[in-house]
Amino acid sequence: MQAIIRTKAGKEFSTMKVQNIESPKTQSGELKVKMVSSRINSVDMDLMKGFPSLKYKNPQIGGIDGSGIVLEVGKNVTDFSVGDNVIFYRLFSDIGTWAEEITIPANYCAKIPSNIEVKDAGTIALPLLTAYDSLIQLNPKKGEKILIHGVGGGVGFQALQVAKQMGLFVIGTGSQSDKAVLDKAGLDQFIDYKTQDFSHVLKIKEVDYVFDVLGDDILKKSIALQPKKVVSVKFVDTSNMHKAGVNLPGIMKWLMKLMMGKFVKLAQRNKVELIGQVTGANGKMLQKAVDLISVNYISRDFKSLSLTDISTNGLTKNDVGKVIVF
């Protein structure tokens, strides 16, 4: 079978090559899956460069999420059957979805609702789990207001769908080019980030929560709005890295804590609870998330690549956000 392999650590995706390898054998607790699609996420590029404390397999297949069809069910697996359509997200320490066939722990997986196409599901696994895990940590009540940054992006758009199913009033910063699909998904108030500064549009304490995917000044301005809670994928909470299968060295934890200190102090001054989002493999949570949005699921167009395309042209950082279709 063909797979996209990390040949060595390197800048961006420069060392990723399409190679022929043997199909993996299914172990106890695992599923063998025929891959259908997998999104190229920014974290995939980061992981291919090399990540502190992680040991890589030989050969190391790229990719952390995706969707497919169950070919085999390993021993001690009771919740899945051959032929099931599944969606999944792996750990940083257990990557490998960019291949025609993969094996994966069953507890990373969720069944895809019948109204969501398998190919579509592979485009939203990481964004959806990140969004859902972030929003449930806020513990919001129906009717409360949330500001979602980058609401037209991969994670932001899934956060919008989750938030609407939770009954929240959603304000989003985004691009005018995404306005039509955002309206379709039920966005209540749109802020054009190119022409408007959200910190001037919104009043202090106007929103109850903020979901941040951008960090830096956007995170600072979000905290200054004095919502009850801010959850950010750019605020690194090293105590939660184990959720992604990572155990950072002590010096790395110290450095990250030092770098994040400015946000902690700002949150304390504004009496805001600041939550750092780390997404880890969790099939049960992913099942709840995909079932929730399936009630009113909004599909989006996406740019795709085949293994032939990648074999011919390779991968670059410009491919982040595209979808590999197997």
Side-chain angles (χ1 to χ4, degrees):
M1 69 169 194
Q2 289 190 310
I4 305 171
I5 302 296
R6 176 188 189 256
T7 57
K8 61 181 179 179
K11 186 179 180 181
E12 297 172 359
F13 284 133
S14 58
T15 63
M16 301 299 291
K17 306 294 181 184
V18 177
Q19 298 182 355
N20 288 308
I21 62 174
E22 292 186 4
S23 178
K25 294 182 179 180
T26 310
Q27 305 295 322
S28 177
E30 291 184 337
L31 303 175
K32 177 180 275 192
V33 175
K34 176 180 173 56
M35 285 295 298
V36 171
S37 67
S38 176
R39 187 175 190 270
I40 303 173
N41 302 288
S42 56
V43 70
D44 292 314
M45 187 167 66
D46 293 336
L47 289 169
M48 288 304 97
K49 291 177 187 176
F51 197 87
S53 80
L54 291 187
K55 293 182 179 179
Y56 289 84
K57 300 172 186 175
N58 186 21
Q60 180 59 67
I61 301 171
I64 201 167
D65 71 350
S67 65
I69 303 166
V70 176
L71 295 175
E72 295 178 6
V73 177
K75 293 181 180 178
N76 301 314
V77 176
T78 59
D79 296 334
F80 297 92
S81 302
V82 171
D84 282 346
N85 297 328
V86 289
I87 181 174
F88 35 81
Y89 174 79
R90 308 188 76 130
L91 297 173
F92 286 9
S93 54
D94 184 33
I95 56 175
T97 58
W98 292 351
E100 292 178 305
E101 295 179 0
I102 67 167
T103 53
I104 184 169
N107 61 3
Y108 294 1
C109 302
K111 294 179 183 178
I112 301 171
S114 59
N115 65 317
I116 300 179
E117 292 188 10
V118 183
K119 188 188 296 184
D120 276 359
T123 74
I124 65 170
L126 179 152
L128 175 59
L129 187 57
T130 301
Y132 182 80
D133 192 10
S134 299
L135 266 62
I136 62 172
Q137 290 185 72
L138 298 174
N139 194 27
K141 296 180 177 61
K142 187 175 181 179
E144 290 186 310
K145 290 186 178 182
I146 184 170
L147 169 63
I148 298 175
H149 289 298
V151 72
V155 177
F157 189 71
Q158 297 311 314
L160 168 60
Q161 296 199 73
V162 171
K164 292 308 298 182
Q165 291 304 315
M166 288 180 168
L168 301 180
F169 183 98
V170 183
I171 304 168
T173 63
S175 171
Q176 196 67 41
S177 62
D178 293 316
K179 184 69 164 52
V181 73
L182 295 174
D183 288 341
K184 184 179 180 181
L187 184 67
D188 296 288
Q189 182 179 342
F190 175 74
I191 298 175
D192 187 336
Y193 81 95
K194 292 182 179 180
T195 61
Q196 297 173 289
D197 184 332
F198 73 93
S199 64
H200 296 162
V201 174
L202 300 173
K203 299 175 183 178
I204 300 295
K205 297 186 177 181
E206 183 173 349
V207 297
D208 299 289
Y209 310 104
V210 178
F211 178 40
D212 167 56
V213 297
L214 301 171
D216 296 327
D217 287 343
I218 299 298
L219 178 53
K220 290 178 181 177
K221 289 181 178 181
S222 297
I223 294 171
L225 284 176
Q226 297 182 7
K228 289 186 282 189
K229 300 177 185 178
V230 173
V231 60
S232 175
V233 301
K234 294 296 186 179
F235 175 71
V236 181
D237 183 349
T238 57
S239 66
N240 284 331
M241 290 301 294
H242 67 278
K243 290 171 59 177
V246 175
N247 183 20
L248 290 175
I251 186 65
M252 285 293 296
K253 291 181 179 179
W254 180 81
L255 285 171
M256 293 309 302
K257 188 174 182 179
L258 189 66
M259 291 171 62
M260 295 296 114
K262 58 187 176 184
F263 301 115
V264 173
K265 291 177 181 177
L266 185 61
Q268 289 173 343
R269 286 201 300 269
N270 285 277
K271 297 181 180 179
V272 173
E273 182 179 344
L274 179 57
I275 302 168
Q277 171 58 28
V278 178
T279 304
N282 189 325
K284 290 183 178 179
M285 182 180 290
L286 184 56
Q287 190 70 67
K288 290 179 180 178
V290 74
D291 287 346
L292 180 68
I293 67 164
S294 70
V295 176
N296 187 36
Y297 176 68
I298 305 295
S299 177
R300 299 185 72 180
D301 294 334
F302 56 86
K303 294 181 180 179
S304 64
L305 297 171
S306 67
L307 289 175
T308 301
D309 295 330
I310 295 168
S311 182
T312 302
N313 302 313
L315 287 173
T316 73
K317 64 180 180 181
N318 295 326
D319 294 316
V320 171
K322 296 179 183 177
V323 178
I324 301 171
V325 177
F326 297 88

